[in-house]
């Protein structure tokens, strides 16, 4: 017996517990030099919340999501409902750290974000972006221009179709309108929309005139996911932007602008699976996680789980 009570001949196993080690996302390998990037998926944080309109703190989102993702760092996962083993061992997934954010300088921070995402795409990796407020989707969208006909699915409480505010065109309130103005962006589906006051009637009219299908949680439950995405083309490229306030405030209170009447985890996960099955996902972001308003960290945990789910769904389709 050892002095601690164990038999001397027991087999030692190294357990990579959630509370040990360096908390990269899901404890994936780290590659902070994008010039050296060689991966299938590249996770990168954009801790920029300088355009926040309500509760600041989303700059801490990437760090909190990474911490909570360590709970799921035990390798392959088995879904007993679907009888599927999700295993990413044949794919290289790395955590690239964070984009350089210049405090008080939104323009340079957006430029740094766009440059980083362009590099990731040029290296042949799928960018997975952790926000930050929803303004970070603006530079990410510009970086997608090497792809043609990118279809966009937004999961969000708010339409994000504001024209501008005092000359500000690249804030958290208008990434979807800015995307609609880009030549490489094709069709849109906006799911979970219910935020009162975030956009005016004319904004909704403009979005519908663009061809976007706007669906509230109530409509989604009445119509189903298949009908919600029926206007979106099969087999084409897709980008997904997930604002955590698309989920109901009761399960995701740590959001910049939480809203009641939202989607639940299973519904969002099912939407992501449907998108992965419908087309070729070239990237996605998850934004607006604000851990300062959620001492339980359940918002960050759900966010990490959704990101892992989506990676699994994308890999399953590639396999």
């Amino acid at each position: 017996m050892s002095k601690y009570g164990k038999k001397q001949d027991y087999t030692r196993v190294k357990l990579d517990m959630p509370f040990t080690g360096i908390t990269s996302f899901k404890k994936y390998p780290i590659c902070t030099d994008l010039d050296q990037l060689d991966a299938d998926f590249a996770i990168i944080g954009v801790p920029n919340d300088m355009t926040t309109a309500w509760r600041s703190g989303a700059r801490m989102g990437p760090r909190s999501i990474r911490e909570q993702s360590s709970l799921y760092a035990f390798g392959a996962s088995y879904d007993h409902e679907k009888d599927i083993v999700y295993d990413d061992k044949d794919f290289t997934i790395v955590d690239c750290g964070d984009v350089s954010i210049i405090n008080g300088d939104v323009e340079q921070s957006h430029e740094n974000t766009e440059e980083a995402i362009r590099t990731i795409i040029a290296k042949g990796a799928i960018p997975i972006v952790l926000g930050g407020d929803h303004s970070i989707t603006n530079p990410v969208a510009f970086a997608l221009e090497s792809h043609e006909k990118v279809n966009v699915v937004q999961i969000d409480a708010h339409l994000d179709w504001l024209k501008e505010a005092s000359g500000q065109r690249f804030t958290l309130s208008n990434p979807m309108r800015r995307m609609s103005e880009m030549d490489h962006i094709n069709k849109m589906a906006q799911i979970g929309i219910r935020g009162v006051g975030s956009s005016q009637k004319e904004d909704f009219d403009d979005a519908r005139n663009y061809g976007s299908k706007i669906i509230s949680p109530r409509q989604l439950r009445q119509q189903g996911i298949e009908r919600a995405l029926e206007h979106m083309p099969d087999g084409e490229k897709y980008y997904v932007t997930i604002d955590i306030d698309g989920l109901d405030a009761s399960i995701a209170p740590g959001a910049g602008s939480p809203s009641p009447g939202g989607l639940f985890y299973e519904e969002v996960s099912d939407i992501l699976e449907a998108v992965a099955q419908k087309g070729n996902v070239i990237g996605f972001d998850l934004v607006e996680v604000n851990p300062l308003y959620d001492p339980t960290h359940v918002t960050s945990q759900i966010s990490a789980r959704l990101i892992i789910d989506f990676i699994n769904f994308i890999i399953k389709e590639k396999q």
Side-chain angles (χ1 to χ4, degrees):
M1 297 286 289
S2 77
K3 63 182 179 182
Y4 299 111
K6 279 206 170 189
K7 294 181 180 179
Q8 293 288 6
D9 59 350
Y10 69 88
T11 301
R12 290 181 180 269
V13 178
K14 182 180 179 180
L15 295 179
D16 192 11
M17 301 300 291
F19 49 82
T20 65
I22 298 171
T23 52
S24 61
F25 187 87
K26 205 185 172 190
K27 298 194 177 181
Y28 286 131
I30 297 171
C31 175
T32 56
D33 184 355
L34 293 181
D35 291 333
Q36 302 299 316
L37 179 64
D38 182 13
D40 299 295
F41 296 84
I43 299 162
I44 190 164
V46 187
N48 179 0
D49 66 357
M50 283 182 274
T51 77
T52 298
W54 176 230
R55 306 196 304 190
S56 61
R59 67 184 62 185
M60 305 307 296
R63 181 171 294 182
S64 182
I65 293 169
R66 286 184 172 106
E67 180 180 355
Q68 295 305 311
S69 74
S70 63
L71 175 63
Y72 305 106
F74 286 103
S77 57
Y78 172 64
D79 186 330
H80 73 277
E81 290 183 284
K82 301 172 184 174
D83 193 23
I84 294 175
V85 175
Y86 293 106
D87 198 334
D88 58 24
K89 69 179 186 304
D90 295 328
F91 292 80
T92 303
I93 307 173
V94 300
D95 191 326
C96 297
D98 292 335
V99 168
S100 176
I101 301 301
I102 310 303
N103 187 33
D105 192 333
V106 178
E107 289 187 16
Q108 186 175 343
S109 297
H110 281 347
E111 288 172 359
N112 292 347
T113 301
E114 181 179 343
E115 180 181 1
I117 304 305
R118 285 185 182 274
T119 302
I120 289 171
I121 293 171
K123 291 288 185 177
I126 294 174
I128 301 170
V129 188
L130 314 178
D133 69 33
H134 216 158
S135 72
I136 66 104
T137 301
N138 288 295
V140 174
F142 279 118
L144 297 175
E145 70 175 354
S146 59
H147 296 284
E148 295 181 356
K149 290 183 66 177
V150 178
N151 301 284
V152 179
V153 175
Q154 174 197 19
I155 297 170
D156 202 325
H158 309 97
L159 193 69
D160 294 346
W161 208 280
L162 189 69
K163 289 181 180 179
E164 63 177 47
S166 297
Q168 297 297 313
R169 302 181 67 248
F170 299 102
T171 72
L172 83 171
S173 297
N174 41 36
M176 305 311 293
R177 183 182 283 273
R178 297 288 86 85
M179 292 178 90
S180 75
E181 298 165 349
M182 300 178 188
D183 291 338
H184 57 283
I185 300 300
N186 191 28
K187 292 184 177 295
M188 286 189 189
Q190 298 177 265
I191 304 175
I193 308 302
R194 65 196 184 279
V196 176
S198 65
S199 293
Q200 304 303 314
K201 182 181 183 301
E202 54 265 30
D203 298 321
F204 279 86
D205 290 341
D206 289 346
R208 293 190 179 100
N209 289 335
Y210 174 80
S212 182
K213 187 169 184 178
I214 303 167
I215 305 153
S216 70
R218 181 182 291 114
Q219 290 171 324
L220 182 74
R221 291 167 188 141
Q222 292 171 344
Q223 301 174 11
I225 295 172
E226 184 176 352
R227 185 174 174 188
L229 297 175
E230 65 183 358
H231 73 295
M232 303 293 280
D234 294 332
E236 294 188 5
K237 295 179 179 180
Y238 277 82
Y239 185 84
V240 179
T241 178
I242 309 165
D243 187 324
I244 200 61
D245 68 26
L247 280 76
D248 190 74
S250 64
I251 61 170
S257 299
S259 180
L263 300 167
F264 297 112
Y265 159 75
E266 294 89 349
E267 293 173 316
V268 176
S269 185
D270 287 347
I271 293 168
L272 298 178
E273 184 174 24
V275 173
Q277 293 171 348
K278 195 171 190 67
N280 175 26
V281 179
I282 61 168
F284 68 93
D285 64 55
L286 192 150
V287 301
E288 294 289 347
V289 172
N290 189 335
L292 304 184
Y293 288 88
D294 182 5
T296 70
H297 305 297
V298 68
T299 308
S300 300
Q301 184 182 341
I302 290 173
S303 300
R305 178 65 182 273
L306 286 171
I307 292 167
I308 293 167
D309 285 353
F310 204 12
I311 293 173
N312 285 337
F313 299 149
I314 296 169
I315 287 176
K316 193 65 180 176
E317 294 305 311
K318 291 182 179 295
Q319 290 171 334

